[in-house]
Amino acid sequence: MRTRTAEWFETKIKYEKTMEDGQQKKVTEAYVVDALSFTEAERRITEEMSSYISGEFDVADLKKASYKEIFFSDADSADRWYKTKLQFITIDEKTEKEKRSNVYYLVQAATLPEAVSNINEVMSGTMIDYVIASIAETQLMDVFEYQMKKKEERDDRPEYEEAVTEE
């Protein structure tokens, strides 16, 4: 399991999909992408989907996701995404009463029990008392996280140099 904190955006993409029987069907699929702004999120999901969809498509919806973090799985079978609400339990020092605060996570897993196991695995490395308040499978197709290029793949030349050398 690996976790990633970022600014996450939920997007919905509308397009005509070729079904297994060869028929065209209009579908809307949900994806998550990390970005710094709505504009960047739309640009990133458009770039990502361009390599998967041959025809035209529309970004039908774009909103900030409520996830604090996403827990990715390295298992090949982990093809589902679960929205999880954890309640962190603390004690108010003045009143000595239990206080619960809700935090949402997105967890990748193959099954619901595996999602619970993945949460417990990640949380075992913390000292926080928590309860899994809810967990539900989402309709998300995929999550696209920002990939930093390796130093040798990066082109660190300023843009104006590229323009001059390309002429």
Side-chain angles (χ1 to χ4, degrees), residues 1 10 30 32 65-73 75 77-86 103-120 122 132-143:
M1 280 308 320
E10 290 183 358
V32 172
S66 60
Y67 321 124
K68 177 155 174 62
E69 289 182 69
I70 295 183
F71 301 158
F72 291 91
S73 173
S77 62
D79 60 351
R80 295 188 176 113
W81 295 94
Y82 295 86
K83 185 174 182 177
T84 306
K85 179 168 89 172
L86 295 186
V103 180
Y104 293 91
Y105 295 96
L106 191 61
V107 181
Q108 185 180 24
T111 62
L112 182 68
E114 186 180 309
V116 172
S117 175
N118 290 349
I119 292 165
N120 289 330
V122 170
I132 298 175
S134 68
I135 186 166
E137 185 176 346
T138 69
Q139 295 300 309
L140 293 173
M141 300 299 289
D142 207 350
V143 173

Side-chain angles (χ1 to χ4, degrees), residues 48-61:
E48 292 287 352
M49 297 314 296
S50 293
S51 58
Y52 296 105
I53 300 173
S54 59
E56 291 186 23
F57 62 90
D58 292 318
V59 178
D61 190 26

Side-chain angles (χ1 to χ4, degrees), residues 131-162:
V131 172
I132 298 175
S134 68
I135 186 166
E137 185 176 346
T138 69
Q139 295 300 309
L140 293 173
M141 300 299 289
D142 207 350
V143 173
F144 299 108
E145 62 181 323
Y146 183 77
Q147 300 291 323
M148 281 292 290
K149 289 183 178 180
K150 294 178 183 167
K151 190 170 184 172
E152 59 270 9
E153 293 175 1
R154 254 187 270 142
D155 186 355
D156 291 332
R157 293 182 300 163
E159 287 180 25
Y160 66 87
E161 278 185 28
E162 291 175 15

